[in-house]
């Protein structure tokens, strides 16, 4: 099994085998993150650019370190400090990077589909680090890795995703990935942030009452309330959201006894989950970050190897 | 890839005797078994390393730590291969700083795997020294590398393939020359 792709744009079009290959490769690479000396020669001569049109701390740092640890040359570009402010189009920026010999472009962009647009126009490999409300494949992969690592397998496991499903690219990538690997997904959120008709088509269950979604699940995944995307029109107030959907100790006790708690970060403490829950033994939030590094190293490795990919000579 | 078995080089008994001899040589050359760590290079070096460690333990009366090395990330040909190799775990469960590391592989050929393995071990820590043990040295070196312990030197042509089969992986113990 090999990953014969130029780009990684989302989990929707990945096969079960491709998902497992990425997770297995990341498992093998995780040992490396605990080493004293973290520098491999694997991607010597490969250059990558992190192009972030939206703020990010962990995803960008994680990609940058993943590239550096594998021996690639990494450069960061912020949209506020790039030619974008001068009016250059995305495709033109991509062509410029291509002319500079960039092999891999990691991009985060507020527009859904922007990574696909870039991927269709350049020969460099494009990795989606979050495109609007569409997908955030590496975050979902690290969630899946964390669950698989703790619970051995995803098959038959019940995962509840709670929060702003409508705007969450993390939730969408997770729905594609988790269901492909045999997990059962239950979604919960306010009616304005979770369209039952739309999501039940994806083989998941939808619950407006959060307690219904949490009953006997193996994993509780709380999502961040995205103030930047929804404005203040879709929920009456953050306080009300916290009261109706926030993960508290009591709500978490509805899940299985050894259930895991995940959150993609950054946490709005006291809103999506209480501080007590975030720091509890069930929380795997820090493991998620470590696994994110392994997942990103795995993808850089898998997208770079092999002439047949035609992307890196 | 179709191959024809051309010659049997070692049967089960011969392989066993070879491993016993190499075990004695390792103890002799290292003046005992203190600070020894035996690391097998994936795939066939792994069961061979375990067998050597067991034998040395039998002779020396002390357990020898073993490890597993995957050299994929250290290959110098990753981007020119037609398909990327599947990555497996490296598992060396102890600090190798100051230890005497014995790397174990089945066949020594171009020397590129051994070179990658040297880099991989050095990244794990600074051992006192690294030695290389192989079952077969078939020549055709592309790098200035030699083994410290050799089961058998077998001059081969490049059209031939030396295949070390092990019970743990192949269901039988033997070393054969195959023709492509």
């Amino acid at each position: 099994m090999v990953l014969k792709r130029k780009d990684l744009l989302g989990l929707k079009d990945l096969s079960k085998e491709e998902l497992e290959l990425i997770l297995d490769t990341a498992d093998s690479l995780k040992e490396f993150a605990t080493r004293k000396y973290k520098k491999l020669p694997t991607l010597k001569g490969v250059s990558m650019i992190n192009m972030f049109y939206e703020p990010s701390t962990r995803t960008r740092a994680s990609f940058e370190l993943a590239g550096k640890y594998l021996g690639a040359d990494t450069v960061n570009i912020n949209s506020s400090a790039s030619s974008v402010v001068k009016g250059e189009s995305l495709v033109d920026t991509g062509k410029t990077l291509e002319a500079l010999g960039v092999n891999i472009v990691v991009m985060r962009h507020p527009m859904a589909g922007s990574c696909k647009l870039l991927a269709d126009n350049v020969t460099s490999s494009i990795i989606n680090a979050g495109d609007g409300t569409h997908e955030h494949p590496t975050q979902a992969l690290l969630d899946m890795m964390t669950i698989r690592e703790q619970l051995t397998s995803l098959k038959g496991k019940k995962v509840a995703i709670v929060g702003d499903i409508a705007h969450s690219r993390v939730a969408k990538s997770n729905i594609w990935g988790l269901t492909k690997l045999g997990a059962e997904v239950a979604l919960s959120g306010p009616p304005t942030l979770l369209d039952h008709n739309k999501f039940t088509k994806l083989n998941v269950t939808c619950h407006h009452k959060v307690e219904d979604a949490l009953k006997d699940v193996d994993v509780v995944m709380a999502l961040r309330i995205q103030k930047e995307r929804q404005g203040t029109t879709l929920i009456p107030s953050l306080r009300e959201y916290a009261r109706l959907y926030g993960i508290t100790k009591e709500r978490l006790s509805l899940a299985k006894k050894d259930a895991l708690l995940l959150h993609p970060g950054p946490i709005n403490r006291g809103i999506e989950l209480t501080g007590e829950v975030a720091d509890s033994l069930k929380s795997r939030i820090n493991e998620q970050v470590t696994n994110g590094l392994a997942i990103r190293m795995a993808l850089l490795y898998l997208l770079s190897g092999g002439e047949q990919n035609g992307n890196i000579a | 890839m179709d191959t024809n078995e051309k010659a049997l080089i070692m049967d089960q008994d011969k392989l066993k005797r070879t491993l016993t001899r190499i075990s004695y040589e390792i103890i002799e050359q290292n003046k005992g078994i203190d600070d020894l760590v035996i690391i097998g290079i994936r795939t066939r070096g792994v069961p061979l390393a375990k067998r050597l460690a067991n034998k040395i333990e039998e002779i020396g009366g002390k357990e020898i730590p073993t490890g597993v090395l995957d050299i994929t990330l250290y290959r110098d040909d990753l981007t020119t291969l037609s398909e990327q190799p599947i990555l497996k775990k490296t598992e060396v469960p102890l600090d190798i700083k100051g230890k005497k590391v014995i790397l174990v592989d089945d066949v020594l050929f171009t020397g590129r795997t051994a070179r990658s393995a040297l880099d991989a071990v050095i990244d794990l820590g600074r051992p006192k020294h690294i030695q290389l043990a192989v079952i077969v040295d078939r020549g055709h070196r592309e790098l200035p590398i030699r083994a410290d312990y050799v089961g058998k030197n077998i001059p081969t042509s490049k059209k031939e393939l030396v295949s070390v089969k092990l019970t743990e992986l192949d269901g039988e113990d033997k070393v054969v020359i195959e023709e492509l």
Side-chain angles (χ1 to χ4, degrees), chain A residues 1 28 40 42 301-302 306-307, chain B residues 72-74 81 84-87:
Chain A
M1 179 69 217
S28 298
L40 290 162
T42 321
Y301 167 76
L302 291 170
E307 255 182 347
Chain B
T72 311
L73 294 167
Y74 291 85
L81 292 170
Q84 78 268 52
I86 299 286
L87 190 64

Side-chain angles (χ1 to χ4, degrees), chain A residues 1-4 21 25 27-29 31 35 37 39-42 70 301-302 304-308 312, chain B residues 72-75 78-91 95 97 119-120 122-124:
Chain A
M1 179 69 217
V2 290
L3 194 70
K4 280 188 186 162
L21 173 70
T25 307
D27 277 345
S28 298
L29 278 161
E31 163 266 334
R35 284 190 195 178
Y37 179 76
K39 189 87 181 169
L40 290 162
T42 321
L70 283 172
Y301 167 76
L302 291 170
S304 299
E307 255 182 347
Q308 285 177 10
I312 293 160
Chain B
T72 311
L73 294 167
Y74 291 85
R75 292 177 68 125
L78 181 69
T79 53
T80 58
L81 292 170
S82 61
E83 286 185 351
Q84 78 268 52
I86 299 286
L87 190 64
K88 298 250 173 67
K89 273 186 191 145
T90 285
E91 292 162 288
D95 187 359
K97 193 179 163 194
D119 284 350
I122 289 162
D123 276 1
L124 292 171

